[in-house]
Amino acid sequence: MITLIILLLSLSQQEPIGIISALDEELAFIKEDMVIETVDTVSNRIFTIGKIYDMPCVCVKAGIGKVNAAMTAEILILKYSVDCVIYNGVAGGIDPDLDIGDIIISKTIIHHDFGQLMPDTFIPFDTIGFIADKYLIEIAVKAADNVKFDPVPQKICKETGHFPEVIVGRIVTGDQFISSEEKRKWIEQTFHADCVEMEGAAVAQVCVINQVPFVIIRCLSDIANETADIDFEEFVVYAAKNSSLIVNEMIKLLRK
Ligand code: ADE
């Protein structure tokens, strides 16, 4: 009888959603709506456990770069048995049709700095990448439709009342903050990417190895050119809010 009760209790408990960002700015809006139950420190990172709109969630700031992202994703999966992983954050634009404020929901995600360096060229080892979970992409698109974004700041777009564009696309990842038009063009031509960031493919790889569904949501804080560092400073909070609004809406839609 006791075994049956324990089994029924465990079946009724939903596994949490794992939410990762690299920076405080990227996690802040999501944690605003969290009812915190516990805070754990594992391998020097803080895992905040609780509920967002009644949905069990574990939120964690991984820090910048692929190693931080990979080890954090592995902890979320092995220690917290997360049902899925949503990565939330900002990125540099690669597709010249996109601008600061626009949002990319990952369809595929590739390491851009993983390959063979020759005297005159770099040959990537992988140009296919990792494929995000179809259902999570669908939920992210629905969520984006429901969200009311703040208009794009006039410093970025002269038109008033211009709202961010949301696309499902290709993200590339490397342990480099890209502030070079030449490198942006190379990434565009080599990977046909929409944006570049520093963690997504590492999280994706860990999720694929562990057979855990994932999706990456990124909003452009800059366009990876020579002024990327200045633009990043100016627009990181606006961009982080846009991607967080989608993640929060996704949680509402994922609630069973
Ligand atoms: N994240 C935000 N902007 C970026 C850029 N330009 N390069 C890499 N990661 C980024």
Side-chain angles (χ1 to χ4, degrees):
M1 185 63 182
I2 289 175
T3 325
L4 182 66
I5 292 169
I6 292 171
L7 180 70
L8 287 175
L9 274 176
S10 68
L11 282 179
S12 68
Q13 269 175 357
Q14 201 166 1
E15 300 295 3
I17 298 175
I19 300 166
I20 314 182
S21 293
L23 308 170
D24 284 323
E25 292 92 326
E26 294 167 325
L27 212 54
F29 292 105
I30 292 170
K31 276 173 63 182
E32 266 178 18
D33 285 351
M34 187 172 203
V35 178
I36 297 171
E37 288 162 8
T38 334
V39 178
D40 279 351
T41 302
V42 183
S43 298
N44 205 30
R45 54 220 60 217
I46 298 163
F47 292 79
T48 307
I49 299 129
K51 291 208 173 87
I52 302 177
Y53 319 127
D54 266 342
M55 182 80 176
C57 292
V58 183
C59 292
V60 56
K61 178 182 94 166
I64 298 169
K66 298 206 281 187
V67 174
N68 279 328
M71 63 177 286
T72 306
E74 186 80 0
I75 296 169
L76 272 180
I77 293 166
L78 295 187
K79 184 168 165 69
Y80 296 100
S81 304
V82 293
D83 204 33
C84 63
V85 172
I86 302 175
Y87 192 99
N88 173 59
V90 302
I94 295 295
D95 178 344
D97 290 339
L98 297 175
D99 210 340
I100 296 171
D102 290 337
I103 295 153
I104 297 93
I105 297 164
S106 65
K107 183 171 187 186
T108 51
I109 180 142
I110 309 172
H111 295 283
H112 71 73
D113 57 353
F114 180 54
Q116 182 180 1
L117 184 63
M118 314 266 279
D120 305 317
T121 187
F122 175 80
I123 304 168
F125 281 165
D126 179 19
T127 49
I128 298 167
F130 306 100
I131 300 165
D133 183 72
K134 252 189 171 169
Y135 177 66
L136 288 176
I137 295 173
E138 224 175 85
I139 293 289
V141 170
K142 257 191 212 155
D145 277 349
N146 294 350
V147 166
K148 257 192 98 192
F149 296 106
D150 291 337
V152 175
Q154 271 191 290
K155 265 203 174 159
I156 304 165
C157 181
K158 301 270 173 306
E159 278 170 55
T160 48
H162 177 78
F163 290 91
E165 188 183 340
V166 182
I167 62 159
V168 176
R170 186 189 289 259
I171 301 176
V172 295
T173 304
D175 273 321
Q176 300 161 344
F177 184 89
I178 308 297
S179 298
S180 154
E181 177 57 17
E182 195 186 334
K183 183 80 176 186
R184 185 205 63 74
K185 267 201 192 121
W186 177 82
I187 292 175
E188 186 191 0
Q189 284 159 6
T190 309
F191 298 99
H192 311 290
D194 296 299
C195 71
V196 62
E197 37 86 310
M198 301 178 70
E199 296 84 19
V203 169
Q205 190 167 355
V206 169
C207 287
V208 167
I209 289 168
N210 288 287
Q211 296 179 298
V212 171
F214 76 91
V215 72
I216 318 284
I217 315 291
R218 292 282 186 177
C219 178
L220 303 186
S221 55
D222 58 82
I223 50 170
N225 60 6
E226 274 69 358
T227 60
D229 50 346
I230 299 162
D231 292 336
F232 176 89
E233 289 296 333
E234 187 157 3
F235 300 115
V236 63
V237 172
Y238 170 71
K241 185 174 177 190
N242 279 353
S243 57
S244 304
L245 286 169
I246 295 186
V247 175
N248 280 348
E249 189 63 27
M250 283 180 77
I251 295 168
K252 289 180 194 162
L253 296 174
L254 286 167
R255 194 174 41 192
K256 286 179 190 153

